[in-house]
Structures are given as structure tokens and as C-alpha cells.
Amino acid sequence: PMENSALECDSSLSKFSVRCANSLEDFSPVFDYMVKEGWTPAVGDVEAFYAIDPSGCFVGELDGKKIAFLSTLKYPEKKICFDGQFVVDPAYRGKGYGREMMHFSSKTFPDDYNRGGDAVLYMSQTYEKYWGYKDCGWLINRYLVQVVNIPNTEVPSNINLQPIRGFDCEELCEYEEKVIGVHRKSFMEKWINLPGRYGWVAVSHDQSIVGYVVCRPIEPSSHAIAPLYANNPDIANCLLSKAATTALDGNSKVLTFSVDVPTANDQAVKLMKNELKGSLKRVFNRMFSKGLPPNVAPNKIFCVASTDVL
């Protein structure tokens, strides 16, 4: 998410510098900041994001001390980039360091790119005013769903559920591209295989993918659905039910699922809010400088992968 952009200038800016991260290890301290901000990252998230575009991860330093981080991950074939993991150390906010981070990253991609990101609501106007983001009418609602509220749904006879680990990664990427408009194999290979993660792929009778779900542990009692894609609500229900069963079988301490639902999918909101009685915890505004990218299928996105990545 994007929350900590500062807009005031300070004399110490002359001592502040921004650079590309030298390595994953160099950028990885952002994880601890994300945890403190309550963004519920999972172990390995930063590694997977970094794999998309190592050149799009930035570190801000004041007198040699790392105090700010930002990723602007590029998808050159689609001329899209997406901001995330944007944080300034609370002790150094209000001095213009966040603005310098955004300025620096804006020089790393061409002007014709469509720049996007998930902003917390109170920062939406700031990003619109200073960075050219546009409100696309697409909010991301974070619901907390009690696992016990997820019913055991029977899988239709024409659908086969297969474990996502070991599934052909290229096929998953091709399906995801039809849903969100970008192909990102380097991300997928890490995202589904990181420790503690599990998921299921819904395959139709003709062996085509019609949906999949990935779950990642964010704390002992809560896992995040990330993402949940499905061709229709019935398939989404089956995948979510299977995820719940898997979570309870593997760890009885898992009580809740955190689910980031795009309001552009009415059926997804209905499922999480009304049918599963999810409690709304946070709201983000998914914004883009040139409007919502083409080739996105909102009706198939029941939960996004993260509010730090497209």
C-alpha cells in the first residue's frame, strides 16, 4: 500500500539520497516496516515482489541510514508500473523524503507508462494532486472472514481441484494474464512455492484452468487469500471452501482469512460481506495515472494478490 508520502520540504533533504536497491538483502528491511504499519505481509512477500523487477526497488538513505523504501514494479510489455511497499520511517515523516522517493522512481520508466498503486483512502487526493493518479472507482475492501463461516461446498462434477504446488507455472501465468492483463512468471514461481503457502487450481473437463486460489500465512491465527481468481462465483466458492478445509486440516489455530476484495466485482463483495459475514478492516483505492488498464477482468477477481503489487 501507499500511505507515507510526505509533502513538506526540510533542510535535511540535502543529506537524503535515493538509489536502486543493490540486492534483495539490501531491500528486505522494508518487511519489518510493513509489519509495523499493520499491512500484514507474509514471509517471502518481498522476495516475490523483488523478482518481478529488481530495478524497480528503491532505498532512501539519510546520512547513510535506510529510512525509506518504495517499489515501482514495471511490466514493460504492457507499459504499466505499480507502486507498493512505500514506507518512510515514522521518525522521519513530514520532511519531504517520501516525495523524493516518488520523484526518483518516476525517472525510471517512460512517460507513456500507466502508473498505478493502492492508496489508503485519506491519501487518495494527495496522489491525484501530486502524482497524477486518477480515481478509477475501484476500491479494495479488506475483509476478515471467520474460517468456520466458510461452508463445505461440493465441487461440481465437471471441475477437478488440483494442488497448486507442482502445477504447471506457465499455465497459471497464462490464466492470470487473462484476468489481470500481465504475465509474470518470475513472480508466480516464487509466490506459490514459498514456505507455508498452499493453494488449489480448478480445472475443467477440457483441462483448462477456470480459477485458482493461493493462501499465505500472515500470523499463526490468520492466513491471507492471495489471490482468488475464478470464472464465476460457484468456482470461487469451491476454491475458498477447499482453502478453508486445507487450513483447518493443517493447522487448527487458523481462525480467520484476510481477503482483499475489489469492489469492481459485485459478486465478490456479496460473497465476502453478506454470505460469509466478513468484517471490513481497511479500504484501499486502486488508482492509475491513465485509467484502469485494458484486458482486466474484474468479474474474475474475487481477491487480489496483494495491495503492494498489481
Side-chain angles (χ1 to χ4, degrees):
M2 303 184 299
E3 188 166 14
N4 298 302
S5 177
L7 297 175
E8 297 299 324
C9 292
D10 187 270
S11 60
S12 62
L13 277 175
S14 61
K15 301 178 182 179
F16 180 74
S17 61
V18 185
R19 59 175 175 79
C20 293
N22 297 320
S23 63
L24 172 61
E25 183 180 11
D26 185 29
F27 190 71
S28 61
V30 70
F31 178 81
D32 291 334
Y33 281 105
M34 292 164 69
V35 171
K36 292 175 183 177
E37 292 295 323
W39 293 348
T40 61
V43 173
D45 281 6
V46 177
E47 178 183 351
F49 299 153
Y50 188 83
I52 296 174
D53 179 18
S55 68
C57 296
F58 310 107
V59 178
E61 296 178 317
L62 183 65
D63 289 330
K65 178 183 178 181
K66 298 177 185 178
I67 65 165
F69 298 87
L70 167 67
S71 61
T72 303
L73 307 179
K74 299 179 290 295
Y75 302 89
E77 69 284 356
K78 301 295 183 179
K79 294 186 177 181
I80 295 172
C81 59
F82 198 86
D83 293 319
Q85 305 176 99
F86 187 17
V87 61
V88 176
D89 187 311
Y92 299 94
R93 292 176 187 171
K95 301 179 183 297
Y97 302 136
R99 182 175 58 183
E100 290 301 305
M101 297 291 290
M102 291 288 282
H103 272 311
F104 184 91
S105 70
S106 66
K107 299 176 183 177
T108 63
F109 58 87
D111 292 340
D112 61 349
Y113 270 45
N114 189 5
R115 185 177 197 171
D118 290 332
V120 292
L121 289 184
Y122 77 89
M123 290 296 293
S124 296
Q125 290 185 341
T126 297
Y127 282 92
E128 187 172 356
K129 178 179 180 180
Y130 288 93
W131 307 114
Y133 286 88
K134 295 179 181 178
D135 192 328
C136 300
W138 190 346
L139 301 180
I140 305 290
N141 289 349
R142 175 166 295 170
Y143 292 102
L144 203 62
V145 175
Q146 301 296 318
V147 176
V148 295
N149 287 346
I150 300 175
N152 188 4
T153 303
E154 184 176 350
V155 180
S157 58
N158 63 335
I159 298 293
N160 177 31
L161 298 186
Q162 301 180 23
I164 201 163
R165 284 182 181 266
F167 200 92
D168 186 276
C169 188
E170 181 59 32
E171 289 186 37
L172 291 172
C173 291
E174 290 175 359
Y175 178 79
E176 183 181 54
E177 185 172 8
K178 295 175 183 177
V179 176
I180 67 170
V182 297
H183 189 282
R184 47 186 185 186
K185 190 172 184 179
S186 59
F187 169 76
M188 183 74 73
E189 288 174 334
K190 292 189 178 295
W191 191 251
I192 65 176
N193 290 308
L194 286 161
R197 305 198 178 197
Y198 55 96
W200 296 88
V201 185
V203 181
S204 68
H205 60 85
D206 64 357
Q207 299 305 304
S208 62
I209 297 175
V210 292
Y212 72 82
V213 63
V214 179
C215 303
R216 70 195 211 280
I218 51 179
E219 56 186 56
S221 64
S222 185
H223 289 186
I225 302 296
L228 172 57
Y229 302 145
N231 285 13
N232 60 56
D234 289 340
I235 296 171
N237 265 313
C238 290
L239 287 166
L240 197 58
S241 176
K242 187 65 173 178
T245 301
T246 306
L248 293 175
D249 285 348
N251 182 356
S252 60
K253 294 181 180 179
V254 179
L255 302 177
T256 59
F257 279 155
S258 177
V259 193
D260 291 337
V261 180
T263 58
N265 186 340
D266 294 338
Q267 293 297 318
V269 174
K270 178 182 176 182
L271 173 63
M272 300 304 168
K273 179 182 178 181
N274 299 336
E275 297 179 25
L276 301 181
K277 309 301 180 184
S279 57
L280 183 63
K281 294 300 179 182
R282 299 188 78 168
V283 181
F284 304 91
N285 191 0
R286 180 155 290 195
M287 308 175 74
F288 289 91
S289 61
K290 301 182 186 301
L292 190 67
N295 303 318
V296 174
N299 63 314
K300 294 182 180 181
I301 306 174
F302 287 79
C303 173
V304 300
S306 169
T307 52
D308 282 298
V309 71
L310 185 61

